[in-house]
Amino acid sequence: MPALHKAIFVGLLILGLAAPHVLYPVFVMKVLCFALFACAFNLLLGFGGLLSFGHAAYFGSASYISAHAAKVWGLTPELAILSGTLAAAVLGLAIGSLAIRRQGIYFAMVTLAFAQMVFFFSAQAPFTGGEDGIQSVPRGHLLGMISMAPDRNLYFFVLGVVFVGLLIIYRIIHSPFGQVLKGIRDNEPRMISLGYRTSRYKLAVFVLSAALAGTAGATKAIVFQLASLTDVYWTMSGEVVLMTLLGGMGTVFGPILGAAIIVTMQNYLATFGDWVTIGQGIIFVVAVMLFREGIVGVIAKLIRRPL
């Protein structure tokens, strides 16, 4: 890991440790969850070259499974999050096996279609609670010992989960597997001519991205003690695309910044109602016009070092 990246990770960790002493812990936990979600999506889009319009399916389904596991099965928070992650990975494997047979806009439309199927299932399935969702999800005790009811206790657990997730994504990107992914993204026919079975690599990154997105959704369900249709609705997929493009597609740290900006806008401008969406649209247009590589992408270009 380059010294600059080490410094950024250390800086993020310091900010994470200091944040609950300055800001409302639940708000920061929401930023952390969406930062992991955006980074998971960026793994698929920015490094795999696959645009999915249905990533809310994995985020939302893991949220439901995690909430159900904690409330009905009585699992501890770490096991509930793990169950949501595994469910998202299985769903990603099922959908990805079919979706990767198409390319470009057809791939994106297939993922959107499957995501809508997951949404309608979530709206009708008995265990999801329909429009009411799964409410009053217990936060439980970490490892059966440490109560997660206090926001501070839960915050440091969430920080640990997200930070480990980010390190896993970083390792994937900078592994030989990640280099093959970049080759497929840039020139798939050439990679096929070199003997790589590109469909296997695309399916693998699809499942990894779905699993990590599931981790984010499962963690969010424990934080807010709620799993609802909002988590699995198509607008959630649109938000994560916006976060990734705003921060910088194909960068390591861009989606973190993009998620922080969007979640902050939603939180502090909530009193303006639908105007928040208009504000997001204006920011997106400005970012596309002025920062075509995303905010972090432009910074990386200026300092001539990858971020």
Side-chain angles (χ1 to χ4, degrees), residues 270-287:
T271 53
F272 292 97
D274 292 338
W275 285 97
V276 176
T277 305
I278 296 175
Q280 288 180 0
I282 294 173
I283 289 179
F284 181 66
V285 171
V286 172

Side-chain angles (χ1 to χ4, degrees), residues 74-251:
L75 296 185
T76 55
E78 72 278 5
L79 292 179
I81 291 172
L82 180 60
S83 64
T85 300
L86 292 175
V90 172
L91 183 62
L93 178 62
I95 294 177
S97 299
L98 299 173
I100 62 170
R101 300 182 184 183
R102 294 294 179 264
Q103 295 182 347
I105 190 62
Y106 301 104
F107 172 86
M109 291 297 101
V110 168
T111 58
L112 177 59
F114 277 113
Q116 288 299 95
M117 292 171 61
V118 173
F119 170 77
F120 286 115
F121 172 81
S122 301
Q124 300 296 327
F127 83 95
T128 62
E131 294 184 358
D132 295 328
I134 303 177
Q135 303 179 24
S136 302
V137 178
R139 290 179 173 180
H141 291 72
L142 181 63
L143 301 176
M145 297 181 292
I146 305 173
S147 174
M148 292 291 100
D151 288 340
R152 290 288 177 89
N153 290 2
L154 182 62
Y155 174 83
F156 290 109
F157 170 63
V158 172
L159 178 64
V161 170
V162 172
F163 205 77
V164 169
L166 295 178
L167 289 176
I168 290 173
I169 292 172
Y170 186 90
R171 180 68 186 112
I172 293 171
I173 292 170
H174 294 88
S175 67
F177 172 79
Q179 299 308 311
V180 174
L181 282 180
K182 295 173 188 176
I184 295 172
R185 175 196 64 189
D186 296 335
N187 195 333
E188 185 174 354
R190 180 172 176 79
M191 297 302 290
I192 293 175
S193 70
L194 292 174
Y196 289 99
R197 297 185 178 182
T198 57
S199 59
R200 292 187 178 182
Y201 284 89
K202 291 194 288 186
L203 179 58
V205 73
F206 195 99
V207 173
L208 286 169
S209 178
L212 289 162
T215 302
T219 305
K220 178 179 175 290
I222 299 298
V223 170
F224 287 93
Q225 300 179 274
L226 171 70
S228 67
L229 289 175
T230 304
D231 297 332
V232 78
Y233 195 45
W234 68 268
T235 53
M236 186 65 73
S237 297
E239 284 185 13
V240 76
V241 174
L242 176 59
M243 292 172 185
T244 303
L245 296 181
L246 179 61
M249 181 183 72
T251 64

Side-chain angles (χ1 to χ4, degrees), residues 242-251 254-255 257-258 287-301:
L242 176 59
M243 292 172 185
T244 303
L245 296 181
L246 179 61
M249 181 183 72
T251 64
L257 178 61
V288 170
M289 297 296 292
L290 301 180
F291 308 103
R292 298 202 173 184
E293 297 87 1
I295 298 173
V296 173
V298 170
I299 295 174
K301 194 173 182 179

